[in-house]
């Protein structure tokens, strides 16, 4: 029997698609004895998973429920194969991205503030906000109370599983998409990340949807913010460290850009951090992938990898091959 450890917090009913020949072992972060397992499905909360790790023996394969696996290699070392749950977050994270873009273009954070204050007339503050964000000196009449996504140019940094889903969801808005990934290719056209600085001034919306790696660390810094258009919208659905937080705070405080971030650096964002009070910023506390559909979908991906592992077939989503 192949011993597979899974987070005890997960409803065991969700493991019903797992192949036969598997013994399921619930793993908690409070175990007071060592547990022998060959395959480990870590808790989606890294802190909990890291607390459980010292009690685990014999792990050869880690099947993460998440797309981002950055904490795992340093924890389990190089002799363990690591797979991510590529595909499990496509819909939830792409929907978050669309919602964030529309929320900011429609000034929902401002209107929520107005709703709470109970003053209808404050809606005309939207016109001032538009003028400031677009460095627009002339008054527009009738006043601008929101902006349109349709027809805008969206630059996507990262064009993997989630990036493609975002593009699919953006299609009805007839946006022009500029795609950037590690390497350039055609059909559809994808630019190499080395071209990013040149492409930035073309975009009205910039979506970050790439992994946190040494190469992507602070990919968006002061120089990149300077190259963005006045009023450009930066959406970080990726990982906090992809953006230089100090440079983001400076660009927001200068009123040059607006942003929606689901992820921050540091994360969790500490109380009193300057980012909390930046203008034209929507923060959600890393919730982009977390819908009720996420766990069943991620565990279907894990079940498929397990079946392949048992049958000796190549695994689909290897992010680290054991040495
Ligand atoms: N906010 C959330 O809750 C949430 C949820 C899920 C995922 N995420 C984040 O989203 C990331 C992407 O997920 P995915 O499933 O789409 O991953 P994926 O399918 O592996 O695609 C990653 C994309 O990023 C590109 N990339 C990697 N390093 C890059 C670099 N240094 N510069 C430019 N592009 C780079 C890749 O380029 P190539 O195509 O050339 O290889 C690829 O297009 C995850 O790693 C995770 O950090 C966040």
């Amino acid at each position: 029997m192949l011993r597979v450890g899974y987070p005890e917090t997960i409803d065991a009913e969700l493991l019903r698609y797992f192949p036969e020949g598997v013994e399921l072992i619930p793993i908690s972060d409070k175990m007071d004895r060592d547990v022998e397992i060959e395959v480990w499905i870590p808790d989606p909360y890294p802190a909990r998973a890291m607390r459980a790790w010292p009690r685990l023996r014999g792990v050869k394969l880690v099947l993460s429920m998440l797309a981002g696996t950055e904490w795992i290699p340093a924890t389990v070392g190089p002799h363990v194969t690591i797979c991510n749950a590529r595909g499990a977050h496509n819909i939830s994270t792409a929907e978050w991205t669309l919602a964030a873009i529309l929320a900011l273009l429609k000034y929902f954070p401002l209107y929520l503030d107005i709703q709470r204050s109970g003053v209808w007339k404050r809606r005309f503050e939207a016109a001032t906000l538009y003028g400031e964000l677009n460095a627009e000196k002339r008054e527009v009449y009738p006043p601008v109370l929101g902006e349109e996504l349709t027809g805008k140019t969206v630059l996507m940094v990262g064009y993997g599983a989630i990036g493609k889903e975002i593009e699919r969801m953006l299609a009805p808005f007839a946006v022009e998409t500029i795609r950037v990934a590690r390497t350039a290719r055609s059909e559809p056209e994808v630019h190499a990340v080395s071209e990013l600085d040149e492409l930035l001034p073309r975009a009205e919306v910039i979506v970050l949807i790439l992994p946190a790696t040494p190469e992507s660390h602070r990919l968006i810094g002061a120089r990149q913010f300077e190259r963005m258009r006045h009023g450009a919208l930066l959406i970080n659905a990726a990982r906090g460290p992809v953006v230089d937080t100090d440079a983001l705070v400076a660009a927001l405080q200068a009123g040059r850009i607006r942003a929606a971030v689901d992820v921050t650096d540091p994360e969790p964002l500490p109380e009193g951090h300057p980012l909390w009070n930046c203008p034209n910023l929507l923060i959600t506390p890393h919730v982009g992938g977390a819908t009720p559909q996420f766990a069943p979908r991620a565990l279907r991906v894990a079940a498929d990898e397990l079946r392949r592992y048992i049958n000796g077939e190549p695994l689909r989503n290897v992010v680290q091959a054991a040495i």
Side-chain angles (χ1 to χ4, degrees):
M1 276 280 197
L2 179 69
R3 287 171 63 84
V4 177
Y6 72 97
E8 65 155 17
T9 39
I10 294 281
D11 181 356
E13 168 64 10
L14 296 177
L15 309 175
R16 65 185 180 281
Y17 298 109
F18 278 26
E20 284 180 13
V22 160
E23 187 184 351
L24 291 168
I25 319 285
I27 301 292
S28 124
D29 59 343
K30 298 183 187 67
M31 293 184 310
D32 54 8
R33 59 186 171 80
D34 292 355
V35 178
E36 187 80 25
I37 53 171
E38 185 168 334
V39 181
W40 181 36
I41 300 169
D43 194 292
Y45 287 99
R48 262 193 215 168
M50 280 191 257
R51 281 198 297 271
W53 170 251
R55 286 292 185 196
L56 305 183
R57 299 282 171 265
V59 174
K60 290 190 183 144
L61 173 64
V62 175
L63 298 177
S64 170
M65 292 174 68
L66 303 181
T69 53
E70 55 276 2
W71 64 272
I72 304 178
T75 304
V76 304
H79 305 298
V80 176
T81 295
I82 303 168
C83 296
N84 71 359
R86 193 162 189 262
H89 297 83
N90 293 1
I91 292 174
S92 50
T93 312
E95 284 187 1
W96 178 90
T97 303
L98 265 283
I101 295 173
L102 286 169
L104 284 196
L105 290 179
K106 299 298 173 192
Y107 303 167
F108 280 2
L110 169 69
Y111 292 126
L112 185 60
D113 188 38
I114 291 173
Q115 179 185 343
R116 292 205 169 120
S117 71
V119 184
W120 185 270
K121 278 196 75 174
R122 279 191 57 203
R123 73 199 189 109
F124 293 109
E125 288 173 21
T128 313
L129 180 58
Y130 175 77
E132 286 165 3
L133 280 167
N134 292 279
E136 180 67 74
K137 300 276 178 290
R138 285 172 307 131
E139 261 188 38
V140 184
Y141 187 82
V144 175
L145 301 181
E147 294 175 50
E148 294 177 7
L149 172 57
T150 298
K152 287 216 166 13
T153 300
V154 179
L155 170 64
M156 287 210 299
V157 189
Y159 188 61
I162 302 174
K164 289 184 181 115
E165 186 62 28
I166 293 170
E167 186 176 52
R168 192 184 69 77
M169 291 187 186
L170 280 171
F173 294 95
V175 295
E176 185 195 337
T177 313
I178 307 171
R179 309 170 197 88
V180 171
R182 276 179 302 188
T183 47
R185 48 204 183 250
S186 54
E187 291 178 35
E189 183 181 29
V190 178
H191 298 267
V193 65
S194 54
E195 295 172 59
L196 178 63
D197 286 9
E198 270 166 61
L199 297 167
L200 281 170
R202 284 174 53 191
E204 285 148 314
V205 180
I206 298 143
V207 174
L208 305 179
I209 189 65
L210 69 166
T213 62
E215 293 73 39
S216 69
H217 190 75
R218 299 194 177 163
L219 185 67
I220 305 296
R223 194 155 52 94
Q224 286 66 35
F225 284 115
E226 269 164 36
R227 309 238 353 123
M228 288 177 197
R229 286 188 187 200
H230 203 108
L233 170 50
L234 177 75
I235 307 284
N236 190 359
R239 286 290 184 264
V242 175
V243 175
D244 177 339
T245 302
D246 291 346
L248 173 63
V249 169
L252 287 164
Q253 284 177 344
R256 284 208 59 256
I257 61 138
R258 53 188 138 173
V261 300
D262 187 43
V263 286
T264 58
D265 179 25
E267 190 175 312
L269 196 61
E271 256 178 67
H273 190 284
L275 208 53
W276 285 117
N277 287 313
C278 279
N280 303 316
L281 173 66
L282 175 67
I283 301 174
T284 58
H286 204 150
V287 299
T291 62
Q293 289 76 18
F294 148 68
R297 227 181 258 138
L299 291 166
R300 288 296 285 266
V301 176
D304 184 54
E305 294 287 40
L306 266 182
R307 198 167 293 111
R308 290 166 168 276
Y309 186 71
I310 291 168
N311 295 337
E313 294 167 21
L315 303 175
R316 275 188 204 270
N317 304 314
V318 175
V319 290
Q320 170 181 290
I323 54 169

